[in-house]
Amino acid sequence: MTDLAIDRVDFELGQLLLVADGEALCALDFADYESRMLTLLHKRYSAVRLVETSNPSGFSDRLRSYLAGDLHSLDAIPVVTGGTPFQQQVWLALRSIPAGTVTTYGDLAARLGNSKAVRAVGMANSQNPVAIALPCHRVVGANQRLTGYAGGLERKRWLLHHEGVAVERFQ
């Protein structure tokens, strides 16, 4: 059994669950998606035990800093994501999208060298185990619509607005 530290961080639209292995962030998800997060953790680690921990590795403080407006406080947090090599490639590419900007699934696929992998990029985004730290909310549909956010479109809109994106331009 793998012991992982879990902390809960409140914010305007609910509560975030942050899970760390002592060195890296393993999961970051919304509390109402806890079952999805647990499924991904069990898939990665088999048996896990979540141990309530205040501010594991200082990650909770960095998340609070992000939520308070320091949009770069999560940029260098080490992450361990599991997943396939392609998923890992997609997830790590998300960090190349600057705060306050968006890109499309198609542009992200092209940046990864396979412009035809738009749907695969979208699927990988939907399974991102460390939302916000690997900012999948910065990816929008080709038609400039807010689509495909596992935490819900209201949260995607909030995160983009928080980062200074003019969300009113999105349908």
Side-chain angles (χ1 to χ4, degrees), residues 7-170:
D7 196 10
R8 298 164 194 282
V9 175
D10 293 325
F11 85 116
E12 191 173 318
L13 295 181
Q15 189 176 68
L16 290 160
L17 304 176
L18 181 146
V19 179
D21 68 2
E23 296 179 12
L25 187 63
C26 304
L28 180 57
D29 214 332
F30 301 96
D32 50 336
Y33 290 90
E34 185 170 3
S35 62
R36 179 186 93 95
M37 180 191 78
L38 290 171
T39 298
L40 293 173
L41 287 171
H42 287 292
K43 186 175 181 181
R44 213 172 339 154
Y45 295 99
S46 190
V48 297
R49 179 176 44 217
L50 299 178
V51 179
E52 294 283 339
T53 306
S54 177
N55 196 25
S57 302
F59 298 155
S60 301
D61 282 346
R62 291 172 78 173
L63 178 58
R64 286 183 190 93
S65 291
Y66 168 84
L67 294 168
D70 179 358
L71 303 180
H72 299 288
S73 64
L74 301 175
D75 292 353
I77 286 181
V79 296
V80 58
T81 58
T84 67
F86 178 76
Q87 287 173 320
Q88 291 176 16
Q89 184 183 22
V90 170
W91 295 332
L92 293 177
L94 295 170
R95 279 198 159 158
S96 69
I97 307 166
T101 67
V102 296
T103 193
T104 65
Y105 294 99
D107 289 343
L108 189 55
R111 193 178 312 171
L112 295 172
N114 186 352
S115 59
K116 295 182 181 187
V118 176
R119 289 182 189 260
V121 165
M123 184 59 71
N125 262 11
S126 73
Q127 297 174 357
N128 176 3
V130 284
I132 305 173
L134 299 181
C136 53
H137 60 277
R138 296 178 188 157
V139 185
V140 299
N143 58 2
Q144 295 297 303
R145 289 192 179 256
L146 297 185
T147 62
Y149 192 62
L153 293 182
E154 178 184 0
R155 288 184 178 129
K156 183 171 189 165
R157 184 178 302 280
W158 186 93
L159 290 164
L160 290 172
H161 177 74
H162 174 68
E163 293 182 356
V165 174
V167 294
E168 57 277 356
R169 75 178 201 216
F170 298 108

